[in-house]
Amino acid sequence: MRMITFFVIGLTVHVVFFISIFDIYFTSPLVHGMTPHSTPLEPPASRLVLVVADGLRADSLFTLLPNGSSRTPYLRSIIEDKGTWGVSHTRVPTESRPGHVALIAGFYEDVSAVAKGWKENPVEFDSVFNESRHTWCWGSPDILPMFAKGASGDHVYTHTYPAVEEDFASTDASKLDSWVFTQVKSFFKSAQSNSTLKASLWEDKNVFFLHLLGIDTNGHAHRPMSQEYLDNIGLVDAGVAEVVSIIEDFFDNDGRTAYVFTSDHGMTNWGSHGAGHPSETLTPLVAWGAGVQKAKGATEPQPYNDGFLQDWKLEHLRRVDVSQADIAPLMASLVGVPIPVNSVGVLPLLYLNNSERFMAESMYTNAIQVLEQFKMKMMQKKETTLSFLFTPYQLLTESKQAEFTQKARILIQLEKYEDAISLCQSLISRSLEGLVYYHTYDRFFLGCSVVLGFVGWTSYVVLVILKTHASLNRHPNLTKQIPGRNLARLCTCVAVVITLFLLIQRSPITYYIYCLLPIPVWYSVLKESGTLRDLIQTAPSLPLWKCLGYFVLVAFGIELLVVSFFHRAMLTVGLAVLSLWPFLSGLFGKAKSRSLSWLVGCLCLAAFPLMPVVGREPNIHLVTCAGLLALFTSACYLWSSRRRTPLHLGDRPQFVIQMLLVAVCAYVPSLTHSSLQQKQGLPLLNQIISWSTLASSIFVPLLSSTRLFHRLLSIFLSLTSTYLLLSTGSEALFPPVLSWLMFVWINIEQEALLAQGMSGRQELSTIDFSANIDITKIRQLKLDDIRRSYFFVFFIITAFFGTGNIASINSFDPASVYCFLTVFNPFIMGGLMMWKVIIPFIIVMCTFETIQVATQLSSRSLFLIVLVISDLMALHFFFMVQDYGSWLDIGTSFSLPLRHCEHTAAGYNVIYSRGHTHTQKSTRHTVLH
């Protein structure tokens, strides 16, 4: 098979495997076609005011000042007298859009929204705003439009400020909240003289939504412990008090207005959010007004062991915690609108101040609304599954559904309200479990199909390596393979059967791809069966103990890499083991200085995986130090090679300019952050330098000498310049340390080649990669090449997860991009962080290509070994994830059930997802019973 054909087929297999992860685990949990249900009784409120303080942490609101007073005196008085309070538990990802979707629509965000930057609606959904008669919104242009766009009709009115106002370098971000309060006051003032508007406002089922972004912006710019953040909270408290007074006056104090104050997510001490740290997932909830239970004293010990009650001096008041999605049915019940049809929230009854009948009817409505989703999901799955293969959810069959609903209805008629409520809660619990059951119904089947195809591909690559790149004993009389014609007929029959099966079930088009792809792959494997016979015949002549040792080491190495995805410190263990390689292989006696450099480089790099992915306080001085280290390292490289290969006159100006640029880029972050701290904004010159450096880093290395050493150095200097501009602390030291180790690796591999008896070593500084390659010097694969390929995969993982990674981008520190821009733009900011993550990856890639040239091995050979190791690692990771549980269920939407974020290599956006789920369950039990 030609290389280009092999590459296309391999790329197709891997793209299918990658897409299958999203198709199997990250499909939208939403279903459509349900009928909205509302409580038949008169609601306690005619209107609802929802105030969301974006980025407000629970402890920031509830904690008292050192002198015993509160920075939010108005809300504190509500908590102690007029309303009910608690902690709202959010879910990962703790971003603004997912949080608002949970609050207003009652479900946890569909993950495909990430492709829209959390702004657009990839899948339409219902919301409290959509079910209301009228909704008026004030706030951010990033949040409000998505609820107006998804609403039926034109009854959702939005008022937003320009997007450029969301500037992290703003002198005072609290002006965003002041703008909202000013607009609301002007709105009600103008309504006094506008009879049409006034009439609309006096109608029932109206909602007023105030989105306050100032706290979040100040938290990103100055940290949650800053005076700016805390002062903004006080401003919000005063603004809420004023708005409540204006609304009550407008409606003549009719007592028909309900208020809900909460937050979409919290924020870490270092000013980020997106992950699952308690400071991000614990948000305040305060409700008061019409239909809301007033403050009640705690007559018995409360079931919370987190110590917050004592810290907040609120142990004398009843605390009622909820899941964030529970707030949607609460608001719908208060104002009398149908619960959003996609909601998975459970009505928190302890927030309601109404008759037992109203509570029972509301809970019954909630149960029917969730059951409708279950029935729709079951019907969809039943229609696409053959009847004799369909396995219904046994705890909620059609007969049991009817039994639950009829019994609940009878209990309400008999005025046994507590029993009816308990039964409805049980029905909701089973319905939610059933939703997960049908949502993951085909997961095992699809997973097996994908794994079968991927195992076949890996097997084929191994056979190709053995056939074309290994010295096997060829036995013509044993290479007779399975007759191609019969094999083709068999595979065709299997493909036809699978296609008919999928057609009958009306399966989606992607199912055909996942199920049919393994057939041509395994056809290719079986056609190469002769190569396997050759291997068996050659086995007796191989050094079996050495082969076995390599097999055990590679298996252990793959296990270590996969475990490092879950426990980041395993990379440190791996680097510590790799540091001993020259001493265990006997290279130390032949290259002592390089062996010691390798040891020191590995141990220095091993320190980075022990550092947290996020959470470091900015330390711009370390960025400057990293720049100086990069300059020192580059100067040493040039000095060491000056005699063997002096720089050409044409190359010297380029290296001088690049080194000067590194020095400038080491100073620009310090100047930028100093300017921002003084609230003078982002200097234009700094911004020009930053963007110019980013643009030039891509093509400047192409202008350097074609000699291998000089080209590598030019790449290192260009990438380091950009990395420094995107750094805020110790991570800036990562590229210089990694590059140092990579240069040592290149040199020590040459020593390893000499130790194996390979002659013709060429100095790195004299290799010109633009020269024609002497094909006669290209050698066959050796066992040691497996070790080289594994080192490459290991360093790729280390480079990718050393200081940050794609999975932690949504919880990155915005200060990392302040040299480029300060106005909020998720795509540009995310793109810059992606480039920062990829830079170490590029350094390792260039190093490995250099090793391929220096060790006189074809790039195809090493590529195939790397492919096998990577594929085996991917398969092992796939199975480990299966053991840990599903990636995306309705109950734990977007939460990878791995481990605590601070213990994972990738820093995945999950914190104690299992434990948190248990906490929510126990909380819900407390709230409802």
Side-chain angles (χ1 to χ4, degrees):
M1 182 184 293
R2 297 179 62 184
M3 189 61 183
I4 185 65
T5 307
F6 181 85
F7 175 79
V8 171
I9 295 175
L11 181 64
T12 302
V13 171
H14 286 81
V15 167
V16 170
F17 186 75
F18 180 75
I19 294 176
S20 71
I21 294 174
F22 294 89
D23 206 18
I24 296 172
Y25 295 101
F26 295 129
T27 52
S28 172
L30 301 186
V31 289
H32 298 88
M34 294 80 67
T35 302
H37 294 271
S38 58
T39 305
L41 303 179
E42 178 72 16
S46 298
R47 65 203 69 91
L48 172 81
V49 179
L50 172 63
V51 182
V52 177
D54 203 306
L56 176 60
R57 294 162 42 148
D59 59 337
S60 298
L61 178 72
F62 295 134
T63 301
L64 296 177
L65 297 172
N67 60 8
S69 62
S70 173
R71 64 172 55 92
T72 56
Y74 178 75
L75 289 173
R76 187 78 179 193
S77 67
I78 295 294
I79 292 171
E80 296 183 345
D81 183 34
K82 299 180 181 178
T84 300
W85 74 283
V87 173
S88 170
H89 296 264
T90 69
R91 296 277 179 86
V92 175
T94 46
E95 297 287 351
S96 290
R97 176 194 158 103
H100 282 86
V101 169
L103 286 170
I104 299 167
F107 72 93
Y108 299 102
E109 179 65 281
D110 171 27
V111 294
S112 56
V114 71
K116 301 281 188 176
W118 305 121
K119 290 184 178 181
E120 297 294 333
N121 300 341
V123 179
E124 295 302 325
F125 57 85
D126 194 17
S127 69
V128 173
F129 294 174
N130 185 50
E131 298 292 352
S132 68
R133 190 180 305 277
H134 301 286
T135 296
W136 288 271
C137 311
W138 298 268
S140 168
D142 296 323
I143 298 299
L144 305 190
M146 68 177 175
F147 292 103
K149 182 177 179 180
S152 57
D154 56 353
H155 63 282
V156 178
Y157 313 100
T158 61
H159 306 272
T160 64
Y161 39 75
V164 294
E165 295 293 329
E166 300 176 10
D167 190 348
F168 295 127
S170 171
T171 55
D172 185 13
S174 64
K175 65 182 180 182
L176 301 177
D177 299 341
S178 299
W179 183 93
V180 172
F181 293 130
T182 301
Q183 292 294 315
V184 173
K185 289 183 283 186
S186 300
F187 173 78
F188 280 101
K189 184 177 180 180
S190 63
Q192 294 286 6
S193 57
N194 187 331
S195 58
T196 303
L197 177 58
K198 188 173 184 178
S200 298
L201 290 174
W202 273 93
E203 291 179 315
D204 62 353
K205 300 181 181 180
N206 284 340
V207 176
F208 304 95
F209 173 43
L210 283 65
H211 177 240
L212 308 175
L213 188 62
I215 293 176
D216 182 77
T217 306
N218 269 320
H220 284 309
H222 307 290
R223 306 295 184 264
M225 300 304 172
S226 65
Q227 197 59 45
E228 290 86 352
Y229 183 89
L230 300 176
D231 288 344
N232 202 154
I233 296 174
L235 182 147
V236 166
D237 181 73
V240 170
E242 191 173 2
V243 166
V244 170
S245 176
I246 290 173
I247 292 175
E248 291 297 329
D249 290 343
F250 183 88
F251 292 107
D252 300 331
N253 295 296
D254 63 355
R256 297 280 297 173
T257 307
Y259 300 90
V260 174
F261 179 91
T262 186
S263 175
D264 54 345
H265 57 75
M267 186 172 290
T268 61
N269 290 341
W270 50 93
S272 71
H273 56 81
H277 192 275
S279 61
E280 298 168 87
T281 60
L282 304 183
T283 59
L285 173 61
V286 183
W288 70 99
V292 179
Q293 186 68 258
K294 293 187 177 181
K296 281 195 171 184
T299 56
E300 56 185 25
Q302 302 194 61
Y304 303 105
N305 301 319
D306 48 28
F308 291 143
L309 286 169
Q310 292 73 26
D311 295 342
W312 300 336
K313 303 296 187 291
L314 289 170
E315 62 270 25
H316 61 289
L317 295 173
R318 184 176 64 177
R319 166 182 162 187
V320 184
D321 284 13
V322 300
S323 294
Q324 194 172 48
D326 298 343
I327 297 176
L330 171 64
M331 294 191 296
S333 178
L334 288 173
V335 80
V337 301
I339 298 174
V341 294
N342 302 118
S343 171
V344 295
V346 181
L347 178 64
L349 294 178
L350 292 181
Y351 276 85
L352 297 182
N353 180 21
N354 215 311
S355 64
E356 289 187 341
R357 182 190 172 194
F358 181 86
M359 293 185 182
E361 289 284 2
S362 298
M363 186 57 71
Y364 178 79
T365 301
N366 193 179
I368 295 299
Q369 169 263 323
V370 177
L371 181 62
E372 284 284 328
Q373 296 181 72
F374 170 82
K375 292 165 69 174
M376 185 61 65
K377 198 80 172 179
M378 181 180 71
M379 183 184 70
Q380 290 178 355
K381 188 52 58 184
K382 196 172 183 179
E383 288 177 349
T384 58
T385 307
L386 294 175
S387 57
F388 65 91
L389 294 177
F390 180 73
T391 305
Y393 181 59
Q394 297 300 323
L395 295 180
L396 205 57
T397 58
E398 293 184 6
S399 60
K400 290 182 179 179
Q401 294 173 32
E403 180 184 344
F404 267 107
T405 55
Q406 291 173 6
K407 188 175 180 180
R409 192 73 260 171
I410 292 172
L411 288 173
I412 292 175
Q413 293 173 355
L414 295 175
E415 299 185 358
K416 296 182 178 180
Y417 300 124
E418 290 188 4
D419 294 338
I421 289 172
S422 178
L423 187 64
C424 289
Q425 291 167 348
S426 177
L427 177 58
I428 291 173
S429 176
R430 292 194 182 188
S431 298
L432 292 176
E433 292 173 359
L435 278 172
V436 174
Y437 173 80
Y438 286 117
H439 185 65
T440 60
Y441 191 84
D442 292 333
R443 183 170 291 178
F444 179 76
F445 165 69
L446 294 177
C448 289
S449 299
V450 171
V451 168
L452 185 63
F454 209 65
V455 169
W457 165 255
T458 305
S459 303
Y460 178 71
V461 174
V462 171
L463 291 175
V464 168
I465 293 174
L466 294 173
K467 181 180 180 180
T468 60
H469 300 281
S471 302
L472 297 179
N473 297 328
R474 309 294 176 181
H475 298 274
N477 59 325
L478 294 174
T479 56
K480 186 179 180 180
Q481 302 178 8
I482 298 175
R485 188 171 299 177
N486 293 337
L487 182 61
R489 289 173 180 171
L490 175 63
C491 291
T492 302
C493 292
V494 173
V496 170
V497 171
I498 292 174
T499 303
L500 290 175
F501 175 76
L502 295 175
L503 279 172
I504 294 172
Q505 293 208 128
R506 291 181 290 177
S507 300
I509 188 65
T510 51
Y511 283 38
Y512 291 84
I513 299 174
Y514 303 144
C515 295
L516 294 176
L517 182 62
I519 295 175
V521 172
W522 280 103
Y523 171 77
S524 301
V525 171
L526 294 175
K527 281 190 67 177
E528 300 294 340
S529 58
T531 304
L532 186 59
R533 295 192 186 97
D534 290 339
L535 176 64
I536 295 173
Q537 294 297 319
T538 309
S541 61
L542 296 175
L544 294 181
W545 284 110
K546 189 174 182 180
C547 293
L548 182 62
Y550 265 99
F551 175 80
V552 172
L553 289 175
V554 170
F556 171 78
I558 291 175
E559 179 71 20
L560 185 144
L561 284 177
V562 173
V563 173
S564 70
F565 278 78
F566 301 84
H567 303 279
R568 192 163 173 253
M570 291 304 295
L571 290 174
T572 299
V573 175
L575 285 166
V577 174
L578 292 188
S579 68
L580 302 176
W581 164 57
F583 304 92
L584 299 176
S585 61
L587 289 174
F588 177 71
K590 302 176 181 179
K592 292 183 178 180
S593 61
R594 290 175 179 176
S595 297
L596 291 174
S597 296
W598 170 268
L599 173 67
V600 175
C602 285
L603 295 180
C604 290
L605 196 65
F608 288 95
L610 296 177
M611 300 178 184
V613 175
V614 291
R616 294 163 293 215
E617 287 297 324
N619 190 338
I620 304 301
H621 297 298
L622 287 178
V623 179
T624 306
C625 292
L628 296 176
L629 177 62
L631 290 174
F632 176 75
T633 305
S634 303
C636 289
Y637 291 154
L638 291 173
W639 180 264
S640 63
S641 64
R642 74 190 189 285
R643 294 180 179 177
R644 290 168 295 183
T645 53
L647 283 174
H648 294 153
L649 291 177
D651 294 332
R652 292 177 184 176
Q654 179 177 342
F655 279 107
V656 171
I657 292 173
Q658 284 190 282
M659 294 178 73
L660 287 175
L661 185 60
V662 170
V664 170
C665 291
Y667 178 67
V668 166
S670 177
L671 188 62
T672 299
H673 285 262
S674 175
S675 176
L676 294 178
Q677 285 180 351
Q678 297 172 15
K679 300 185 178 181
Q680 296 176 355
L682 172 59
L684 180 60
L685 178 61
N686 292 13
Q687 195 171 18
I688 293 174
I689 292 173
S690 299
W691 285 108
S692 300
T693 302
L694 176 63
S696 64
S697 65
I698 299 173
F699 64 84
V700 165
L702 301 178
L703 305 177
S704 64
S705 169
T706 55
R707 281 183 291 183
L708 204 57
F709 174 80
H710 295 156
R711 177 59 62 90
L712 280 175
L713 185 58
S714 180
I715 292 172
F716 164 66
L717 289 171
S718 292
L719 295 179
T720 299
S721 300
T722 305
Y723 201 92
L724 291 172
L725 294 171
L726 291 167
S727 299
T728 61
S730 59
E731 78 274 17
L733 296 167
F734 186 70
V737 174
L738 178 66
S739 300
W740 170 27
L741 182 59
M742 292 298 99
F743 274 102
V744 174
W745 184 28
I746 295 170
N747 283 278
I748 206 169
E749 282 293 356
Q750 285 196 304
E751 297 295 341
L753 209 61
L754 288 175
Q756 295 170 8
M758 299 291 293
S759 59
R761 171 185 166 181
Q762 188 178 6
E763 287 291 340
L764 287 174
S765 52
T766 63
I767 297 176
D768 191 329
F769 63 83
S770 65
N772 292 328
I773 298 175
D774 187 354
I775 300 178
T776 60
K777 294 184 178 180
I778 300 298
R779 61 181 178 82
Q780 289 279 38
L781 282 174
K782 295 183 177 295
L783 282 175
D784 209 37
D785 293 320
I786 299 176
R787 190 261 312 154
R788 292 186 179 94
S789 301
Y790 176 78
F791 277 18
F792 169 67
V793 175
F794 184 91
F795 286 130
I796 282 290
I797 300 298
T798 304
F800 216 46
F801 297 146
T803 59
N805 57 89
I806 291 177
S808 66
I809 277 181
N810 68 332
S811 60
F812 76 95
D813 186 352
S816 299
V817 299
Y818 282 174
C819 291
F820 294 86
L821 77 165
T822 55
V823 177
F824 178 70
N825 188 312
F827 282 113
I828 294 179
M829 289 180 167
L832 289 170
M833 290 306 300
M834 283 282 288
W835 182 242
K836 178 182 178 181
V837 169
I838 291 172
I839 283 174
F841 179 85
I842 297 174
I843 293 174
V844 177
M845 289 286 290
C846 293
T847 300
F848 192 61
E849 181 64 19
T850 302
I851 289 174
Q852 173 262 316
V853 173
T855 56
Q856 302 172 350
L857 186 66
S858 70
S859 57
R860 180 183 178 183
S861 303
L862 283 178
F863 167 74
L864 290 175
I865 300 178
V866 168
L867 190 62
V868 171
I869 294 174
S870 302
D871 289 350
L872 290 174
M873 189 175 69
L875 282 171
H876 187 22
F877 179 74
F878 184 86
F879 286 118
M880 285 194 71
V881 170
Q882 293 292 327
D883 293 336
Y884 275 102
S886 63
W887 284 7
L888 175 63
D889 288 331
I890 294 176
T892 55
S893 182
F894 214 117
S895 297
L896 302 183
L898 306 180
R899 296 288 192 194
H900 193 288
C901 177
E902 294 179 359
H903 299 296
T904 64
Y908 281 89
N909 303 321
V910 213
I911 303 278
Y912 65 102
S913 61
R914 290 178 181 270
H916 187 53
T917 302
H918 296 321
T919 301
Q920 289 180 332
K921 287 182 178 178
S922 63
T923 300
R924 176 165 293 168
H925 179 81
T926 303
V927 171
L928 298 180
H929 295 288

